[in-house]
Amino acid sequence: MNVKNGGKGVFGWALIGGLAGAIAIVVGGLWGIGEYSTPVAHASTEWVGDESGALIGVDADGKLTQSFPLKHTDVSIQVSGPLARAQVTQQFENPYSDKIEAVYTFPLPQNAAVDAMTLTVGDRVVKGTIKKREEARAMYEAAKRRGNVAGLLDQERPNIFTQSVANILPGETVTITISYVETLSYDGGVYSVVFPMVVGPRYIPGQPIAPTLPLGGGWAYDTDQDASHITPPVLKPGTRFGHDLSISVTIDAGVPIHHVQSTTHDIVVNPSKDSPTEVHLEQNATIPNKDFILTYAVAGKDIRDAVLTHRNGKGGVFTLLLQPPDRVKTDQVTPKELVFVLDTSGSMSGFPIEKAKETMRLAIDGLNPRDTFNLITFAGDTHVLFPEPVPATSSNVRKAQAFLSSRRGGGGTEMMTAIRAALDPSDSQEHVRIVCFMTDGYIGNDMAILGEIQNHPNARVFAFGIGSSVNRFLLDKMAEHGRGEVEYVGLNEDGSAAARRFHERIQHPLLTDISVDWDDVDVSDVYPKRLPDLFSAKPLVLTGRYTTPGKATIRLRGKVAGRSVVRKIEVEFPGFEPNHDVLATLWARTKIADLMAQNYRGIQQGTPQPKVQESITQLGLDYRLMTRFTSFVAVEELIITEGGQPRRIEVPVELPEGVSYEGVFGRDDQVSHGYRMRAMKPMAKMSQSLLGGMVTADASASPMFERLEKRVFMKRPNEPQSKLDSTLLRIAKKKEKRETFSAEESAKIQNGKVMVQVWLTDTTSENLYQLQELGFKLITKPKSGQLVIGYISIEQLKALAKLSIVQYVRLQPVSA
């Protein structure tokens, strides 16, 4: 039901009480019933159940509607040289007739230093204060009980945050503004501004540790991976809850810029010679379901070495940007051992896995005949193609390509087993093993994975993030601790370009074995402590502190194509420099990241080393920074609301673009797999139809369920009909049984045909002829990937799926 401005309607609100109801509603829009609608002013409220319940909307016909408190997010980013300052403004509005508490889990850039939060109620602005996490929580809970409007910002991961806002009165608006600073990514003359919009659905390994409601309100119960804090409720495809997002970017690079573009969104660019360039989204209210990526080049052939400083007291801070040398190619290419690792879990189902396979296929084709290689895939279990790496002969490459073509997306993301299978052999090898991971990184134990990579220093890890909104914290750090490189491949991008860059980098690194001779410069706390090898044209960024001002010459040492090189760099550390005050914040953020890396496993499991926790906490308090152990809290003391405790409303999130809902959460008529299996174990006697495929505790806790899961999800790719997505499979079955199609299904059928996307093993003329034999009418054949789009009779859907050349068939989405 849609209600436009000025429209009329009667809404009733019902609360489903008890544990089952709370979890059912926390999951938010999983039902997919109706469209987003806004309650009108005279909407009534009816409460049923106990305090553990949550709200749903019911219209006059008894149908579920979806209205949630987060209405709009505005992002304003100001770029100055290599630094960016951003303000993220979240507008919460209470659409209900009783006061509420809104809880929203959202992402920020993985390297962002969050240093401010304000809460605005009417014309009153309350500046947030930084406190120890437990102290901030206690202040917030006390304010919530008293009836004060309050806000609490917690960090769950370096790129995942939770915003809580208590005691929002009916019809009132509360605005939260978050500020952060970061250093922009620079590669090959191009700067990148990235803003993530949605937290993808994380797979949570481990066993539940609490039989009660999740502490964080997410759809997963807490294990030793604090699951409930990083698994916000996810909307089912085809539903919306009204939240949209706008972005504007102002770029002052100090020099003219050009080639301003976004590969992810339509933008409007207002260039100016005398003032900063302004960029904003063409549609000021976009659906927040994929990362925003903006790139631009600066005038001039390259960027020179630079030192940025800030000193306003006894000590100073600096950031040093050292440019890599030009790439030197040599005919003496050392044979390498390469291991390709592909994520085939449910979140990769459909487009993401096909894009990953496309990229990996091209990477394998480009192997040097003297290289050895292997191929590993992982989901709920791990498959290794060869017992040990084999030479890259044409025969072995064909075997790998055939194995790769047979992979489908399905099951959980048990990455740890694959990590060990790929890295353990490197411990006893004298030569370097290069491991290439392709994944979306949708896991909850990301810090445990990073801790495992640290245990294998002889391997080089290259990470490929596949998808529209991947876990950049995990992938960046995998490459950092694996002394490799990270690459991000969008679903609409050219996989061959990424494959070419990968081979260029591993065959001809720019600079290896890097060190810096500081001479007599009085510097301390310089990060990173272990300097990475440079594989791409990115600057080496060092940040640290200095005590004594003055000029000096430092020396950058390394190896280029096996030859030792030394570059002298003149630097000046001033006695007073009031500019670039954010450098101190960035230095503290970098030191916090280094401290976290010293104890990833302990922090992941909630048992950090006391010294590490104390050091991180003190840095957060000293520099007003968000950390794992410090939070921002703001309390409006003058306004006290009445009416008891507010109702907690979890704000649901969109499913990232390209991610299959069925691949993650299971089909409505089948048992869900690992993403939800462990999460729902403590629940009992739940309605499977109500929860859209969630399983009961009794089923998921039994060994029989584990066997059923393997039978349904691990063997399903071998069944031809599993190549059809859930909608097409349902249509095909109804046609077979001569059942009546629903109105929604009928809208997808035109003259007995449906428009589909067909992923093939290869788009050769012979394969296209097989499609034509079934009456497939080709509409378009995209240049990238083994994909064709066209019409086919619904009677021929199952016959299409039985063709060996067909990998996956999906209903073609229709633009609104």
Side-chain angles (χ1 to χ4, degrees):
M1 177 176 181
N2 288 324
V3 180
K4 299 181 180 179
N5 291 337
K8 296 181 179 180
V10 178
F11 285 80
W13 295 100
L15 183 74
I16 298 180
L19 175 62
I23 292 298
I25 309 307
V26 163
V27 174
L30 292 181
W31 296 282
I33 301 177
E35 300 178 13
Y36 163 71
S37 55
T38 304
V40 293
H42 56 273
S44 61
T45 303
E46 177 184 1
W47 296 107
V48 182
D50 58 23
E51 291 295 320
S52 65
L55 286 167
I56 61 172
V58 183
D59 65 13
D61 297 325
K63 295 181 179 179
L64 296 176
T65 64
Q66 299 179 66
S67 183
F68 294 93
L70 180 62
K71 295 304 178 187
H72 183 71
T73 297
D74 179 74
V75 181
S76 175
I77 303 174
Q78 301 83 42
V79 175
S80 178
L83 305 177
R85 163 69 72 179
Q87 292 80 37
V88 180
T89 302
Q90 299 166 341
Q91 185 182 67
F92 295 90
E93 181 182 283
N94 184 357
Y96 310 111
S97 61
D98 200 357
K99 66 179 182 178
I100 63 169
E101 176 190 20
V103 181
Y104 177 46
T105 301
F106 63 98
L108 288 177
Q110 68 276 15
N111 294 319
V114 180
D115 58 359
M117 182 196 84
T118 60
L119 179 148
T120 302
V121 186
D123 59 356
R124 288 185 55 77
V125 179
V126 182
K127 187 176 181 179
T129 57
I130 194 76
K131 298 287 184 181
K132 291 182 180 180
R133 182 163 177 153
E134 59 273 17
E135 292 178 6
R137 169 59 66 176
M139 290 176 60
Y140 174 80
E141 292 294 339
K144 184 170 70 172
R145 288 192 298 271
R146 291 195 306 267
N148 298 100
V149 179
L152 176 68
L153 180 63
D154 289 324
Q155 176 182 305
E156 316 300 349
R157 296 288 188 276
N159 61 338
I160 302 179
F161 298 79
T162 299
Q163 181 67 63
S164 304
V165 186
N167 293 314
I168 308 176
L169 289 170
E172 293 295 322
T173 298
V174 175
T175 300
I176 300 291
T177 300
I178 301 163
S179 183
Y180 69 83
V181 63
E182 66 173 333
T183 303
L184 295 182
S185 170
Y186 175 82
D187 188 354
V190 176
Y191 280 101
S192 298
V193 179
V194 179
F195 184 81
M197 294 190 184
V198 63
V199 175
R202 265 50 171 181
Y203 173 83
I204 309 299
Q207 295 297 321
I209 60 175
T212 58
L213 280 174
L215 297 175
W219 53 256
Y221 275 76
D222 283 318
T223 68
D224 56 4
Q225 324 295 343
D226 64 358
S228 66
H229 294 272
I230 59 173
T231 54
V234 180
L235 288 176
K236 200 168 184 178
T239 63
R240 286 295 316 282
F241 70 94
H243 172 222
D244 52 34
L245 185 146
S246 58
I247 296 180
S248 62
V249 183
T250 302
I251 305 171
D252 185 1
V255 295
I257 67 173
H258 54 94
H259 297 313
V260 182
Q261 62 180 345
S262 172
T263 59
T264 58
H265 294 78
D266 293 329
I267 58 173
V268 175
V269 182
N270 297 318
S272 175
K273 294 183 179 179
D274 303 322
S275 60
T277 297
E278 296 181 354
V279 182
H280 62 83
L281 292 177
E282 187 173 67
Q283 296 184 352
N284 288 326
T286 190
I287 299 174
N289 63 349
K290 60 182 175 180
D291 292 350
F292 169 75
I293 302 175
L294 177 73
T295 60
Y296 61 91
V298 293
K301 183 178 179 180
D302 54 23
I303 300 295
R304 297 183 178 180
D305 299 331
V307 58
L308 304 175
T309 60
H310 171 70
R311 185 184 176 101
N312 196 7
K314 292 183 179 180
V317 291
F318 68 89
T319 293
L320 190 60
L321 297 96
L322 305 179
Q323 299 306 313
D326 293 332
R327 194 179 300 278
V328 176
K329 294 188 178 182
T330 175
D331 295 333
Q332 297 179 346
V333 177
T334 305
K336 296 175 174 60
E337 180 179 288
L338 295 101
V339 178
F340 298 93
V341 186
L342 175 64
D343 179 353
T344 60
S345 64
S347 62
M348 293 283 289
S349 178
F351 277 7
I353 195 171
E354 295 305 328
K355 177 59 65 175
K357 286 159 63 175
E358 171 197 339
T359 306
M360 186 173 286
R361 187 180 297 112
L362 294 165
I364 293 174
D365 281 341
L367 289 173
N368 188 307
R370 292 186 297 165
D371 293 336
T372 57
F373 79 104
N374 208 343
L375 180 56
I376 298 173
T377 64
F378 71 94
D381 52 4
T382 300
H383 298 277
V384 182
L385 178 57
F386 301 111
E388 59 184 18
V390 297
T393 63
S394 57
S395 175
N396 287 332
V397 167
R398 282 196 301 272
K399 290 179 182 177
Q401 298 291 20
F403 176 75
L404 189 61
S405 295
S406 68
R407 300 297 94 184
R408 303 285 182 271
T413 315
E414 293 289 351
M415 185 181 284
M416 186 64 78
T417 304
I419 286 281
R420 289 170 177 158
L423 298 182
D424 280 352
S426 68
D427 298 340
S428 60
Q429 298 293 328
E430 295 182 0
H431 64 281
V432 174
R433 167 178 270 217
I434 296 174
V435 181
C436 173
F437 282 92
M438 293 194 179
T439 177
D440 53 24
Y442 288 162
I443 57 172
N445 61 332
D446 29 13
M447 286 185 283
I449 293 295
L450 297 177
E452 185 64 28
I453 290 176
Q454 290 176 321
N455 293 334
H456 304 278
N458 293 335
R460 294 295 176 90
V461 175
F462 285 74
F464 281 74
I466 307 294
S468 62
S469 188
V470 299
N471 185 355
R472 289 174 178 255
F473 163 65
L474 172 66
L475 293 157
D476 276 13
K477 291 299 181 181
M478 286 176 69
E480 176 184 324
H481 294 300
R483 295 182 301 152
E485 189 63 271
V486 64
E487 178 99 22
Y488 293 98
V489 182
L491 300 182
N492 297 319
E493 295 179 6
D494 184 5
S496 62
R500 285 194 302 271
R501 288 191 294 268
F502 170 68
H503 280 290
E504 182 76 0
R505 290 167 179 173
I506 64 173
Q507 300 293 354
H508 307 286
L510 294 178
L511 190 64
T512 62
D513 304 315
I514 303 173
S515 64
V516 175
D517 182 356
W518 293 97
D519 198 11
D520 294 327
V521 181
D522 187 12
V523 299
S524 61
D525 288 323
V526 179
Y527 300 99
K529 290 183 177 179
R530 186 176 71 169
L531 301 182
D533 290 346
L534 296 179
F535 293 91
S536 57
K538 298 178 181 179
L540 177 65
V541 181
L542 303 175
T543 183
R545 303 185 65 84
Y546 71 93
T547 303
T548 306
K551 295 183 178 180
T553 300
I554 65 174
R555 291 169 176 82
L556 176 67
R557 305 181 186 275
K559 290 184 178 181
V560 175
R563 295 177 310 189
S564 296
V565 295
V566 178
R567 189 165 81 211
K568 296 180 179 180
I569 302 162
E570 303 295 328
V571 298
E572 180 177 0
F573 294 135
F576 177 72
E577 175 54 79
N579 296 324
H580 305 136
D581 59 332
V582 298
L583 293 181
T585 301
L586 291 170
W587 170 82
R589 174 67 177 78
T590 306
K591 183 169 183 177
I592 289 169
D594 181 79
L595 287 165
M596 287 184 62
Q598 295 175 26
N599 189 216
Y600 274 136
R601 289 183 181 276
I603 294 174
Q604 176 80 75
Q605 297 174 1
T607 57
Q609 295 173 3
K611 289 185 178 180
V612 169
Q613 179 171 348
E614 290 170 9
S615 297
I616 292 176
T617 301
Q618 196 58 50
L619 281 165
L621 297 175
D622 291 345
Y623 289 87
R624 284 182 51 84
L625 278 175
M626 286 288 304
T627 72
R628 181 80 167 190
F629 309 113
T630 55
S631 300
F632 276 105
V633 61
V635 178
E636 167 50 73
E637 298 286 358
L638 297 183
I639 302 175
I640 300 178
T641 64
E642 298 179 352
Q645 286 294 291
R647 302 290 174 175
R648 177 181 172 116
I649 307 297
E650 294 285 340
V651 176
V653 300
E654 302 284 341
L655 193 68
E657 183 179 78
V659 175
S660 166
Y661 184 90
E662 291 85 358
V664 174
F665 296 112
R667 295 172 177 152
D668 291 345
D669 57 348
Q670 291 181 333
V671 178
S672 297
H673 50 65
Y675 284 87
R676 194 151 305 201
M677 176 185 71
R678 292 182 176 87
M680 307 313 295
K681 276 187 178 181
M683 298 175 60
K685 298 181 181 179
M686 299 289 290
S687 167
Q688 186 178 23
S689 60
L690 177 66
L691 295 178
M694 296 182 187
V695 301
T696 66
D698 295 339
S700 63
S702 68
M704 181 177 294
F705 173 81
E706 295 179 3
R707 293 195 298 271
L708 176 62
E709 182 191 33
K710 291 181 179 179
R711 176 169 60 82
V712 173
F713 289 95
M714 295 181 182
K715 294 186 178 180
R716 190 177 65 210
N718 296 326
E719 301 169 7
Q721 67 179 25
S722 69
K723 297 177 184 178
L724 301 175
D725 73 12
S726 60
T727 302
L728 292 176
L729 184 59
R730 185 168 60 249
I731 288 174
K733 287 181 177 179
K734 283 191 173 183
K735 182 64 178 179
E736 257 185 1
K737 298 178 180 179
R738 299 183 179 181
E739 295 178 357
T740 303
F741 295 116
S742 66
E744 182 182 1
E745 292 164 344
S746 296
K748 304 178 188 302
I749 303 171
Q750 301 179 26
N751 298 322
K753 296 183 178 182
V754 286
M755 188 187 299
V756 295
Q757 300 170 348
V758 184
W759 292 87
L760 302 171
T761 56
D762 200 348
T763 52
T764 61
S765 56
E766 291 83 358
N767 287 350
L768 294 179
Y769 179 75
Q770 290 189 52
L771 297 185
Q772 293 172 7
E773 287 286 287
L774 291 179
F776 181 84
K777 183 179 179 181
L778 180 68
I779 295 178
T780 184
K781 176 184 172 185
K783 295 180 180 179
S784 178
Q786 309 301 327
L787 168 68
V788 294
I789 299 174
Y791 283 100
I792 190 168
S793 166
I794 57 178
E795 291 92 341
Q796 295 291 350
L797 283 173
K798 289 192 174 181
L800 177 66
K802 290 180 180 179
L803 293 179
S804 61
I805 62 171
V806 172
Q807 301 184 74
Y808 183 71
V809 186
R810 179 192 181 197
L811 187 72
Q812 169 69 18
V814 179
S815 301

